[in-house]
């Protein structure tokens, strides 16, 4: 079932205007969709936007993501070894918990409430303004499925 632009969240429109960006259908679609689908990959976002608008190239989606991230409307997170993910929740210094196996990413509120939430013992004279914190582990689904709890997936089973 395709989502139409009628369903598009009005905050997307206001956010684009406030940032001084031209309002285009792909930008509205991406920003609106991400409200309910935080931490989505480019593949998932592209598929959703095509469902809403029809033919939109993946490159066009990349362009939207890069412009909106640069304007501070989106936050890009890149857990090591996993594809980049995007979200609308910006500027609150929240952290993420990432599943090592399936890549599921959830929010973890900043303990202190603002950056940097960690107090390093010695920063060698740097003016530190942020601590990038990623909690790694297994999500409930991967725990339930009994996937290996250590490290990364082992897919090198011998086939006979
Ligand atoms: Zn998982
Ligand atoms: Zn987040």
């Amino acid at each position: 079932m395709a989502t139409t632009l009628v369903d598009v969240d009005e905050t997307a429109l206001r956010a684009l205007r406030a940032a001084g960006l031209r309002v285009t259908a792909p930008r509205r679609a991406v920003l609106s969709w991400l409200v309910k689908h935080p931490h989505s990959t480019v593949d998932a976002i592209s598929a959703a936007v095509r469902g809403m608008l029809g033919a939109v190239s993946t490159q066009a989606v990349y362009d939207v993501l890069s412009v909106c991230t640069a304007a501070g409307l989106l936050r890009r997170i890149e857990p090591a070894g996993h594809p980049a993910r995007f979200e609308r929740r910006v500027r609150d210094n929240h952290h993420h918990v990432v599943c090592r196996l399936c890549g599921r990413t959830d929010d973890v509120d900043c303990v202190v409430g603002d950056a940097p939430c960690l107090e390093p013992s010695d920063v060698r004279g740097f003016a530190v303004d942020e601590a990038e914190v990623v909690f790694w582990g297994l999500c409930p689904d991967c725990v339930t499925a009994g996937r290996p709890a250590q490290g990364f997936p082992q897919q090198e089973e011998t086939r006979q």
Side-chain angles (χ1 to χ4, degrees):
M1 178 82 69
T3 310
T4 66
L5 277 178
V6 178
D7 301 326
V8 158
D9 156 46
E10 282 300 308
T11 67
L13 195 60
R14 286 198 293 271
L16 285 166
R17 286 186 177 144
L21 295 178
R22 203 156 52 86
V23 176
T24 65
R27 287 175 182 174
R28 287 186 70 178
V30 167
L31 291 176
S32 300
W33 192 74
L34 279 172
V35 170
K36 294 213 173 105
H37 304 86
H39 315 124
S40 290
T41 61
V42 175
D43 285 350
I45 296 166
S46 300
V49 170
R50 281 185 205 111
M52 294 160 100
L53 302 179
V56 176
S57 72
T58 302
Q59 186 56 50
V61 172
Y62 270 108
D63 291 346
V64 169
L65 293 170
S66 122
V67 166
C68 291
T69 302
L73 302 181
L74 292 179
R75 178 170 163 188
R76 174 193 177 100
I77 50 177
E78 289 179 272
H82 291 269
R85 290 169 182 267
F86 292 85
E87 66 182 336
R88 286 284 302 275
R89 189 178 164 185
V90 295
R91 295 197 197 92
D92 68 347
N93 198 53
H94 74 275
H95 307 305
H96 294 100
V97 57
V98 180
C99 178
R100 283 189 193 285
L101 296 182
C102 70
R104 174 175 155 184
T105 302
D106 283 9
D107 287 336
V108 176
D109 286 339
C110 177
V111 179
V112 178
D114 51 69
C117 78
L118 301 176
E119 292 294 339
S121 53
D122 180 1
V123 296
R124 313 253 167 203
F126 280 58
V128 172
D129 56 29
E130 181 182 354
E132 189 174 292
V133 180
V134 177
F135 300 94
W136 291 94
L138 294 186
C139 73
D141 287 348
C142 287
V143 169
T144 304
R147 295 181 185 133
Q150 283 287 324
F152 297 95
Q154 288 149 10
Q155 292 178 329
E156 291 178 31
E157 288 169 34
T158 316
R159 292 196 188 168
Q160 293 174 345

